[in-house]
């Protein structure tokens, strides 16, 4: 007799003839309620004896619904009825443990008789392991036959036992061609023996290996595959089989290469882009920094001169073609170890090999300049190209990428400022100039808005009466730290940054304020310098007159000074603006007269009040230099015949003053009298000026030979 009990020692009747294996779960049902069970049942359902015996129906050991869709209670009643009717009934059932886990079981019901109150023995066999095995087998069959990845099974000697359809599709071999062959029969020859030795060593030690490997297709071409190998142990623990899983990763590698190309190569030229350039330079510099020393490296920053003008004039498509042609021509001149890449636009970096000497670097860069001067034939036109190249050296100019690139860029900028088509090596002087320029560019706008750039007034003297006739307004910038910034440094920057209008307006407003705060007793003309950028602005004349009116300045006491460059860019526009201003009473003078090639033509075509002789003529105004005196006299005489006054700038000696008065020059200015002065100092100069020293100058030249020469010319 077998006893079945829970913790309360419930026993089955001695007359029970039901049979079941000791390991199987057995439940005894009476009137559809569990009255007894064995220990295997309690363990199977993860329950205590009390939990089982308090159940009202065996269907409570199941989820609410069976996989077929029927309610568990209704289907359980049907199964019990069949057992009573047939004496025994076996079926599959989805049970639920008390912890909530579901499991499949094979249930065998055995009944004593056919009455509804008959006792029924339920034997529940857990099918979890069998189900898992069946699922794994089904999945394995499905994977083997349907997987896109290739599967290969070998014996312990690595001879092929079977391959999947995907294997045949990927490799090109039929299944019958592979069976019995060594697994390595498709070796590509790409990997050496050391590679395979390491593979097998890891496989034997760990039981698995994975990585990328190249094999040979049946048609002969090589292909990469992502391979995983697993050793399968037999009952004795020794390797029984090897299972290999792989896929063709050709497209993956190609996609990776395409992404890498997009990330590291310029799409227009095919050259390495900025990212790869910086990465390469960083690697080279890092290697040099780790070495003992004595090594050097040259970095060239290359820029196409006037490329923006070419691009704007002939279009971006032409510009792209030119970029490609230029880089192709440069690349053809490089050694294998040189590294050329495109930084951006028309800027390129060339990293020379560490073995290249400085003399070789200079020689080869000059060769590049020479070859690039040959015109390019593009779109049925011939295009000339010049390059500006700056060079920095490791470790002289820096031991990090940022410093080397910055200093090569500075040297290139210096080459461009020198006229282009040059190679310039970085030096400390060039660097100082560049940083000074950069500092000016950074702070100029703020200096203008804060009024830090102030007007200074340089007196103009009328030679006939020896009186002060006016003053030229000159911009002066003294920074808070006391540093003086020369006008020839910040005025060009103001023009480049389109700040020249704001600067001129600020100077005019400050000058007007000076006149209002502390006037002078004699009327003087204030002369303002005007750039080409201002004069060629269609709104300049109107805006200038409006500003004069707003600041309370009389147009009749104002003069604008223009240079010949204003006229060269657009003579018609300049002429119209000049006529507009003169009609309102504003005087006009041409500054630096005599230094251009078209000055006489301008005098013939323009209506101006004054020409200012360039200081280069005055500096050589010496009794010993008769030719220069003759030229100056000719200019003065010609101007007078055209009804134009002449002012000589840069007068520094009494001898120069004497000659100019003798030649009947109308006005002078220069350090002989005074530099540009602050308004208060200018007012003191005006009030204390003694005209007698000029009035006492006689017309007799201090050099008899000069007087005789001029007499002969007359």
């Amino acid at each position: 007799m077998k006893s079945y009990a829970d913790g309360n020692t419930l026993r089955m009747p001695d007359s029970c003839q039901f049979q079941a294996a000791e390991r199987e779960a057995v439940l005894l049902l009476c009137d559809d309620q569990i009255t007894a069970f064995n220990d295997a049942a309690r363990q199977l359902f993860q329950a205590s004896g009390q939990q089982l015996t308090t159940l009202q129906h065996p269907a409570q050991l199941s989820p609410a619904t069976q996989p077929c869709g029927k309610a568990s209670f209704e289907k359980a009643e049907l199964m019990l009825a069949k057992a009573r009717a047939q004496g025994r009934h076996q079926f599959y059932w989805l049970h639920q443990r008390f912890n909530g886990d579901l499991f499949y079981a094979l249930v065998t019901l055995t009944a004593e008789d056919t009455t509804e109150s008959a006792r029924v023995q339920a034997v529940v066999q857990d099918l979890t392991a069998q189900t898992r095995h069946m699922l794994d087998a089904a999945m394995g069959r499905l994977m083997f036959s349907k997987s896109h990845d290739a599967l290969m099974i070998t014996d312990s000697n690595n001879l092929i036992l079977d391959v999947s359809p995907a294997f045949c599709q990927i490799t090109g071999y039929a299944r019958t061609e592979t069976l019995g062959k060594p697994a390595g029969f498709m070796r590509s020859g790409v990997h050496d023996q050391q590679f395979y030795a390491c593979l097998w060593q890891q496989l034997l030690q760990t039981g698995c290996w994975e990585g990328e490997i190249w094999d040979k297709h049946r048609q002969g071409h090589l292909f990469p595959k992502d391979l995983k190998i697993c050793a399968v142990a037999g009952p004795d623990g020794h390797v029984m089989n090897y299972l290999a899983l792989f896929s063709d990763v050709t497209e993956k590698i190609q996609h990776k290469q395409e992404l890498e190309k997009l990330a590291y190569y310029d799409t227009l030229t095919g050259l390495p882009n900025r990212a790869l350039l910086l990465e390469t330079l960083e690697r080279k510099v890092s290697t040099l920094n780790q070495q003992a020393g004595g090594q050097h490296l040259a970095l060239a920053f290359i820029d196409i001169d006037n490329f923006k003008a070419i691009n704007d004039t002939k279009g971006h498509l032409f510009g792209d073609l030119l970029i490609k042609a230029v880089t192709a021509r440069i690349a053809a001149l490089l050694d294998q170890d040189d590294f050329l890449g495109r930084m951006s636009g028309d800027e390129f970096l060339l990293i020379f090999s560490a073995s290249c000497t400085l003399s070789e670097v200079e020689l080869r860069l000059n060769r590049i300049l020479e070859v690039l001067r040959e015109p390019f034939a593009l779109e049925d036109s011939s295009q000339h190209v010049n390059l500006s190249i700056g060079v920095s050296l490791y470790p002289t100019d820096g031991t990090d990428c940022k410093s080397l690139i910055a200093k090569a860029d500075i040297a290139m900028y210096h080459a461009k400022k020198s006229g282009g088509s040059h190679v310039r090596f970085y030096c400390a002087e060039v660097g100082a100039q560049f940083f000074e320029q950069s500092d000016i560019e950074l702070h100029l706008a703020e200096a203008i808005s804060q009024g830090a750039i102030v007007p200074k007034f340089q007196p103009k003297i009328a030679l006939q009466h020896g009186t002060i006739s006016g003053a030229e307004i000159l911009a002066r910038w003294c920074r808070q730290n006391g540093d003086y910034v020369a006008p020839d440094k910040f005025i060009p920057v103001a023009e480049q940054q389109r700040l020249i209008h704001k600067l001129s307006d600020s100077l005019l407003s400050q000058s007007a304020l000076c006149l209002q705060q502390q006037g002078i007793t004699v009327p003087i003309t204030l002369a303002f310098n005007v750039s080409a950028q201002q004069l060629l602005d269609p709104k300049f004349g109107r805006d200038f007159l409006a500003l004069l009116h707003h600041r309370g300045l009389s147009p009749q006491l104002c003069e604008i000074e223009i240079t010949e460059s204003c006229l060269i860019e657009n003579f018609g526009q300049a002429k119209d603006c000049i006529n507009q201003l003169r009609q309102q009473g504003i005087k006009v003078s041409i500054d630096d007269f005599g230094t251009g090639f078209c000055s006489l033509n301008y005098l013939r075509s323009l209506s101006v009040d004054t020409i200012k002789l360039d200081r280069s003529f005055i500096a050589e105004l010496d009794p010993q230099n008769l030719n220069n005196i003759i030229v100056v006299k000719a200019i003065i005489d010609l101007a007078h015949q055209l009804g134009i006054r002449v002012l000589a700038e840069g007068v520094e000696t009494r001898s120069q003053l004497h000659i100019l008065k003798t030649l009947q020059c109308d006005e002078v200015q220069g350090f002989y009298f005074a530099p540009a002065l602050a308004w208060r100092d200018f007012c003191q100069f005006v009030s204390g000026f003694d005209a007698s020293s000029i009035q006492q100058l006689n017309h007799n030249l201090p050099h008899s030979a000069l007087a005789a020469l001029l007499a002969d010319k007359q």
Side-chain angles (χ1 to χ4, degrees):
M1 181 191 71
K2 299 181 183 295
S3 63
Y4 301 88
D6 67 358
N8 296 320
T9 319
L10 295 176
R11 292 181 176 272
M12 294 181 66
D14 293 339
S15 60
C16 183
Q17 301 297 318
F18 303 135
Q19 301 295 321
E22 190 69 30
R23 60 184 175 83
E24 293 176 340
V26 180
L27 303 169
L28 185 63
L29 309 176
C30 187
D31 292 331
D32 296 339
Q33 188 173 2
I34 301 173
T35 59
F37 54 87
N38 66 355
D39 190 58
R42 186 181 59 77
Q43 293 180 9
L44 177 62
F45 288 100
Q46 297 291 303
S48 66
Q50 185 178 1
Q51 286 176 315
L52 288 173
T53 57
T54 55
L55 295 177
Q56 300 299 315
H57 195 277
Q60 291 179 277
L61 291 172
S62 312
T65 305
Q66 289 297 302
C68 64
K70 290 185 178 181
S72 293
F73 180 83
E74 294 178 1
K75 191 169 183 179
E77 285 292 310
L78 179 61
M79 298 298 104
L80 287 167
K82 285 185 178 183
R84 292 189 183 101
Q86 301 171 5
R88 186 175 185 273
H89 182 57
Q90 191 174 61
F91 54 91
Y92 292 102
W93 192 262
L94 183 63
H95 274 296
Q96 185 171 23
R97 296 183 174 93
F98 274 84
N99 64 4
D101 292 343
L102 299 176
F103 66 95
Y104 278 99
L106 178 62
V107 179
T108 304
L109 298 180
T110 305
E112 285 185 342
D113 53 46
T114 60
T115 63
E116 291 186 5
S117 61
R119 291 188 300 176
V120 177
Q121 175 183 273
V123 179
V124 183
Q125 183 181 353
D126 187 0
L127 298 179
T128 301
Q130 293 91 322
T131 303
R132 182 72 265 170
H133 179 74
M134 291 169 59
L135 288 173
D136 289 345
M139 290 176 62
R141 288 193 299 273
L142 182 63
M143 180 179 294
F144 195 81
S145 61
K146 300 298 184 182
S147 174
H148 293 293
D149 291 338
L151 286 166
M152 179 176 66
I153 302 173
T154 72
D155 62 14
S156 59
N157 294 318
N158 207 28
L159 298 177
I160 298 175
L161 297 177
D162 202 358
V163 295
S164 69
F167 178 99
C168 301
Q169 184 178 1
I170 292 174
T171 65
Y173 287 94
R175 179 174 177 273
T176 54
E177 294 179 290
T178 65
L179 300 181
K181 287 188 176 181
F185 79 97
M186 295 183 297
R187 284 190 181 183
S188 62
V190 171
H191 310 285
D192 57 19
Q193 291 299 321
Q194 181 66 25
F195 173 84
Y196 292 105
C198 292
L199 183 156
W200 276 103
Q201 182 180 4
Q202 181 178 335
L203 184 58
L204 293 174
Q205 289 178 350
T206 65
C208 62
W209 182 92
E210 63 178 286
E212 186 178 295
I213 192 169
W214 286 77
D215 270 350
K216 182 182 290 187
H217 193 275
R218 191 178 190 279
Q219 295 180 352
H221 63 269
L222 306 185
F223 68 96
K225 64 184 186 182
D226 188 5
L227 174 64
K228 298 178 179 66
I229 306 174
C230 179
V232 180
D236 59 357
H238 293 90
V239 174
M240 182 174 64
N241 299 100
Y242 292 103
L243 179 63
L245 174 72
F246 66 85
S247 58
D248 185 346
V249 292
T250 302
E251 292 186 2
K252 178 181 176 182
I253 290 178
Q254 289 175 346
H255 182 62
K256 179 181 178 182
Q257 290 173 343
E258 289 173 1
L259 291 177
E260 186 176 284
K261 188 172 183 179
L262 288 174
Y264 288 106
Y265 288 87
D266 177 52
T267 55
L268 177 64
T269 63
L271 293 176
N273 63 10
R274 183 186 188 92
L276 185 53
L277 274 170
L278 296 179
E279 189 176 298
T280 302
L281 183 60
E282 182 72 40
R283 185 174 64 254
K284 287 179 177 289
V285 169
S286 178
T287 300
L288 291 173
N289 285 335
Q290 293 172 9
Q291 294 177 352
Q295 295 287 330
H296 71 271
L297 183 74
L299 177 67
F301 201 110
I302 303 174
D303 182 87
I304 301 177
D305 294 336
N306 302 315
F307 179 75
K308 185 179 184 302
I310 297 172
N311 214 27
D312 292 343
T313 303
K314 297 191 175 183
H316 293 286
L317 179 59
F318 184 89
D320 288 347
L321 292 175
L322 183 61
I323 288 284
K324 292 173 67 176
V326 167
T327 54
R329 195 175 286 186
I330 294 175
L333 300 172
L334 302 181
D335 285 349
Q336 183 177 359
D337 294 335
D338 297 332
F339 196 85
L340 174 68
R342 186 184 184 192
M343 284 288 281
S344 63
D346 61 327
E347 295 178 339
F348 305 87
L349 275 188
L350 173 56
I351 307 172
F352 285 96
S353 63
S355 61
C356 193
T357 65
L358 297 186
S359 59
E360 289 174 340
V361 168
E362 187 171 13
L363 183 66
R364 289 168 59 188
L365 289 176
N366 282 316
R367 174 61 178 163
I368 290 174
L369 290 182
E370 179 184 350
V371 171
L372 266 292
R373 291 189 186 106
E374 292 293 325
F376 291 87
L378 299 172
E379 292 188 340
D380 300 326
S381 65
S382 180
Q383 180 64 52
H384 289 269
V385 170
N386 289 323
L387 303 179
S388 292
I389 304 177
V391 184
S392 63
L393 304 174
Y394 171 96
T396 307
D397 302 324
T399 56
D400 62 272
C401 295
K402 184 177 180 180
S403 298
L404 290 171
I405 293 175
K407 291 180 178 179
D409 190 10
I410 292 171
M412 183 278 293
Y413 175 81
H414 180 62
K416 194 174 286 289
K417 293 285 287 184
S418 302
S421 194
H422 287 90
V423 176
R424 290 288 183 268
F425 283 77
Y426 177 82
C427 64
E429 181 181 357
V430 169
Q433 293 174 359
F434 177 84
F435 288 118
E436 181 185 32
Q437 176 85 359
S438 300
D439 189 59
I440 291 173
E441 293 174 354
L442 183 63
H443 295 97
L444 181 60
E446 181 182 10
I448 294 174
S449 63
Q450 293 181 352
I453 301 178
V454 299
K456 295 293 182 72
F457 304 81
Q458 187 171 35
K460 295 181 179 181
I461 314 299
L463 285 178
Q464 183 177 1
H465 303 293
T467 58
I468 297 175
S469 58
E472 179 180 2
I473 309 299
L474 298 171
R476 295 293 184 263
W477 183 9
C478 186
R479 308 181 71 162
Q480 291 183 348
N481 60 5
D483 291 343
Y484 172 74
V485 185
D488 60 353
K489 292 182 178 179
F490 69 81
I491 295 295
V493 175
E495 292 180 337
Q496 293 167 8
Q497 296 186 342
R498 314 294 293 183
L499 293 171
I500 195 67
H501 290 278
K502 290 185 178 180
L503 176 59
S504 295
D505 292 352
S506 174
L507 293 173
L508 190 151
S509 298
Q510 292 183 72
S511 299
L513 187 61
C514 290
L515 287 171
Q516 295 167 6
Q517 290 177 345
Q518 184 179 353
I520 53 179
T521 57
V522 294
I524 62 169
T525 300
L526 296 180
F528 299 90
N529 289 282
V530 174
S531 71
Q533 190 179 118
Q534 292 174 278
L535 191 66
L536 298 180
D537 184 346
K539 300 183 296 182
F540 170 72
R542 181 193 64 196
D543 293 347
F544 186 73
L545 289 167
L547 189 59
L548 291 180
H549 176 75
H550 178 68
R551 294 302 181 185
L553 294 176
S554 170
Q556 286 71 28
L557 294 178
C558 289
E559 180 179 18
I560 63 167
E561 296 187 6
I562 62 175
T563 60
E564 203 168 290
S565 62
C566 297
L567 308 173
I568 292 175
E569 289 193 32
N570 190 332
F571 181 74
Q573 173 67 31
K575 182 178 179 180
D576 292 343
C577 184
I578 289 172
N579 291 338
Q580 177 189 5
L581 295 174
R582 293 193 81 244
Q583 288 172 5
Q584 299 299 320
I586 296 175
K587 299 178 179 63
V588 177
S589 65
I590 298 179
D591 201 4
D592 301 331
F593 185 84
T595 58
F597 296 101
C598 306
S599 298
L600 294 180
N601 184 52
Y602 294 151
L603 288 183
R604 180 175 62 85
S605 305
L606 281 176
S607 176
V608 299
D609 299 281
T610 305
I611 59 173
K612 296 183 70 173
L613 274 172
D614 186 71
R615 63 182 66 249
S616 61
F617 290 101
I618 309 308
E620 298 183 11
L621 202 61
D622 184 272
Q624 305 298 326
N625 192 342
L626 301 182
N627 288 338
N628 186 61
I629 293 178
I630 293 171
V631 171
V632 171
K633 183 178 187 304
I635 294 173
I636 294 173
D637 292 344
L638 177 62
H640 287 167
Q641 291 177 19
L642 294 172
I644 300 173
R645 294 172 61 81
V646 179
L647 182 147
E649 56 182 347
V651 176
E652 297 184 357
T653 67
R654 186 171 180 81
S655 174
Q656 293 169 349
L657 183 64
H658 193 178
I659 294 174
L660 287 168
K661 185 172 184 181
T662 302
L663 298 179
Q664 299 181 13
C665 183
D666 300 291
E667 294 176 281
V668 292
Q669 71 180 89
F671 278 21
Y672 179 77
F673 298 101
L677 302 169
W679 177 249
R680 179 178 297 179
D681 296 332
F682 176 77
C683 291
Q684 293 178 355
F685 176 85
V686 172
S687 61
F689 184 72
D690 182 8
S692 61
S693 61
I694 297 178
Q695 295 171 348
Q696 291 172 2
L697 288 173
N698 56 44
H699 290 283
N700 295 325
L701 290 173
H703 194 282
S704 57
L706 176 60
L709 177 62
L710 292 178
D712 291 341
K713 295 295 180 181
Q714 294 174 346

